[in-house]
Amino acid sequence: MSGKDFPEDKMPAQRDATEGAAAVADEKTPFADPGLPPHEHRIQDVDERAAKRSQRTVALLFTVSALATIGFIAAFVAIPIERSLYVFPLGHISALNFALSLTLGIALFTIGVGAIHWARTLMSDVELSDDRHPIEAPTAVRARVHADFKQGAEESQLGRRKVIRNTMLGALTLVPLSGLVLLRDLGPLPGTKLRHTLWAKGKVLVNMNTNEPLRASGIAVGSLTFAKPEGLEETDHGFQNEIAKAALMIIRIQPDDFKDKRELEWSHEGIVAFSKICTHVGCPVSLYEQQTHHVLCPCHQSTFDLADGGRVIFGPAGHALPQLRIGVNDDGYLEALGDFDEPVGPSFWERG
């Protein structure tokens, strides 16, 4: 419906009548500027009922977007990742992926459609022309820009159409939550599993190289042996995750060389067991200096004194290597007397 169908007294106030006027051709400009076509008012400009309908439509679209975002979050939390469904003609697909893509697509699509419908039906659509001007704006131009911005804000009817404003703000506030929820899928929450290993009371220490239980009589002074918990095999599912927490260094030290009383109490006849995992970033510690009982991490040169409770004496490691309390069972094999009393590995694991 064009503006010619409505009485002039119902038409909105016009801007400067000279705007968009055609220029006459002359010697300087042989091609005349045709100017802008006459502006035709939309039905929403002259009929408040039509404007109200457009307002309700935009508000509905923004509300649907907000509900779709809530549906996205609910689907992410409630739908198991292993569930599938049949969708023609796609076949069997992940129910979670389908729900997430559908709800997020609706949320973004309805915001876009709502914004476009708002701009096309309620915001001002008067075409304006202006002369080019230098990049540096004079004071008068800046004042005009501010005035135009204020006028544009008024013509957008954002202040007047509060339903649109409120539903738009609600939709735009909720949509970013989709991205925040996806951050949860970067990996499973560690819970407290980083605080515990496979070591427990009675677990026999097994040689990593021979896969045989370790006897106390087989550990020589100054030797370095790597051990794992009894029952943990390389073919097991999750072996790498478990050995990354449970790997041990076994050494035997002369009783007179101990500098830490608790370390001596937790040993068996000078045999001590320390975590092999560096407390800096989790590299395997393996370079042992027999005379000083120092052990070096090859990644960043953190150095620990195994005769002094695994204390850090050099490098970026944050704290000493955890010690495992050990003893001997009735068969003469070395066994754990419990789990580590602190999380092994990097310091940040303690936050798990």
Side-chain angles (χ1 to χ4, degrees):
M1 187 178 293
S2 65
K4 64 182 72 175
D5 299 321
F6 296 94
E8 289 294 329
D9 58 348
K10 290 188 177 181
M11 295 294 183
Q14 296 292 326
R15 298 194 183 201
D16 189 346
T18 61
E19 289 182 351
V24 180
D26 54 23
E27 293 184 359
K28 276 189 170 184
T29 56
F31 300 100
D33 179 3
L36 297 174
H39 176 68
E40 293 189 5
H41 292 286
R42 304 161 301 188
I43 187 173
Q44 289 85 359
D45 297 329
V46 295
D47 187 350
E48 183 59 23
R49 289 179 300 176
K52 289 286 187 181
R53 286 195 298 270
S54 294
Q55 173 180 277
R56 289 192 294 269
T57 301
V58 175
L60 176 62
L61 289 167
F62 288 157
T63 302
V64 170
S65 174
L67 294 175
T69 301
I70 295 173
F72 177 95
I73 297 172
F76 186 87
V77 174
I79 300 178
I81 193 171
E82 64 273 6
R83 180 174 296 176
S84 64
L85 53 81
Y86 181 81
V87 177
F88 179 83
L90 301 177
H92 289 280
I93 60 174
S94 168
L96 178 60
N97 289 346
F98 178 77
L100 294 181
S101 58
L102 180 64
T103 52
L104 184 59
I106 292 175
L108 297 176
F109 178 77
T110 49
I111 280 184
V113 173
I116 292 173
H117 190 67
W118 179 12
R120 291 178 65 87
T121 60
L122 294 174
M123 294 184 184
S124 174
D125 69 335
V126 177
E127 295 183 356
L128 302 175
S129 62
D130 200 357
D131 295 329
R132 293 183 178 180
H133 53 77
I135 295 177
E136 184 181 3
T139 304
V141 173
R142 289 198 298 268
R144 180 179 175 183
V145 169
H146 293 158
D148 288 346
F149 177 82
K150 184 176 180 181
Q151 181 178 353
E154 293 175 354
E155 291 178 348
S156 71
Q157 302 190 31
L158 186 61
R160 180 183 175 189
R161 310 289 179 181
K162 294 183 179 180
V163 174
I164 290 181
R165 180 192 64 194
N166 295 338
T167 53
M168 179 193 70
L169 291 176
L172 293 178
T173 300
L174 287 174
V175 160
L177 293 179
S178 304
L180 293 177
V181 171
L182 290 177
L183 294 177
R184 168 63 179 82
D185 212 29
L186 292 177
L189 295 176
T192 60
K193 65 183 179 182
L194 296 178
R195 297 181 178 272
H196 306 286
T197 71
L198 289 181
W199 292 112
K201 187 174 182 179
K203 279 274 187 178
V204 174
L205 279 62
V206 176
N207 190 306
M208 285 281 291
N209 297 321
T210 66
N211 211 34
E212 296 292 335
L214 287 171
R215 288 185 176 274
S217 58
I219 307 297
V221 174
S223 65
L224 174 65
T225 305
F226 299 128
K228 64 178 181 178
E230 177 187 21
L232 180 61
E233 303 295 338
E234 293 187 13
T235 56
D236 293 343
H237 177 71
F239 169 80
Q240 297 297 337
N241 290 331
E242 295 301 335
I243 199 64
K245 298 183 293 180
L248 289 181
M249 293 184 296
I250 310 298
I251 64 170
R252 191 166 203 156
I253 302 175
Q254 294 287 2
D256 293 341
D257 291 340
F258 281 100
K259 305 173 186 176
D260 184 88
K261 182 179 179 181
R262 194 192 78 161
E263 179 183 358
L264 180 60
E265 293 174 351
W266 282 26
S267 68
H268 173 76
E269 297 179 355
I271 301 173
V272 293
F274 283 97
S275 171
K276 187 183 176 182
I277 310 304
C278 181
T279 57
H280 178 217
V281 292
C283 295
V285 179
S286 57
L287 304 178
Y288 178 59
E289 191 176 61
Q290 186 183 73
Q291 300 301 319
T292 61
H293 304 301
H294 294 169
V295 67
L296 175 72
C297 175
C299 291
H300 305 98
Q301 287 69 57
S302 293
T303 306
F304 306 87
D305 187 352
L306 298 188
D308 191 13
R311 179 175 60 88
V312 181
I313 58 175
F314 179 80
H319 59 265
L321 291 173
Q323 183 182 359
L324 183 70
R325 190 171 185 175
I326 60 174
V328 172
N329 62 18
D330 295 338
D331 297 325
Y333 295 119
L334 292 172
E335 65 175 4
L337 298 182
D339 198 357
F340 290 100
D341 67 337
E342 59 181 314
V344 301
S347 301
F348 61 81
W349 284 11
E350 298 178 4
R351 303 171 189 168

